[in-house]
Amino acid sequence: MTERVWRVSADVACVRSPDGGRVAALHLEQDVPFILVGTAASVWNSLDGTRTETELIEELARDYGTDASAINADVKGLIHSLSTSGLITSSPHDRVAS
């Protein structure tokens, strides 16, 4: 099964608050930073290029004590917005069945 993994684009500068609850991300070819707060910052902080979307959503659901299906659309919507803005890029992640 092939799924996407997401990571911050190489052309993005990012500053996080000490607790990780606020993130300012600026694509170096744009004039306005993207400000992420709370759960949106948690999503950003999880975009390390190692977790699939499903794994990321399941981890966030556990962290926030909710069901993955309850946050699925919101997380995917944020990922779409970040991708469309050029702030993140994806690559396929091939899982080998065991």
Side-chain angles (χ1 to χ4, degrees), residues 8-22:
V8 176
S9 297
D11 295 331
V12 172
C14 171
V15 177
R16 291 175 179 85
S17 64
D19 67 359
R22 291 180 58 88

Side-chain angles (χ1 to χ4, degrees), residues 8 11-17 21-28 30-37 40-41 43-45 47 74-75 77-88:
V8 176
D11 295 331
V12 172
C14 171
V15 177
R16 291 175 179 85
S17 64
R22 291 180 58 88
V23 175
L26 175 66
H27 192 287
L28 299 177
Q30 298 174 359
D31 294 328
V32 179
F34 218 86
I35 307 299
L36 303 155
V37 179
V43 171
W44 177 271
N45 292 329
L47 299 172
D74 290 335
V75 173
L78 176 59
I79 288 172
H80 177 75
S81 293
L82 295 171
S83 173
T84 300
S85 298
L87 295 171
I88 61 174

Side-chain angles (χ1 to χ4, degrees), residues 54-82:
T54 300
E55 291 168 337
L56 182 126
I57 291 166
E58 289 170 352
E59 181 179 313
L60 289 166
R62 279 191 303 275
D63 290 349
Y64 283 93
T66 190
D67 188 65
S69 64
I71 64 169
N72 186 58
D74 290 335
V75 173
K76 286 185 176 186
L78 176 59
I79 288 172
H80 177 75
S81 293
L82 295 171

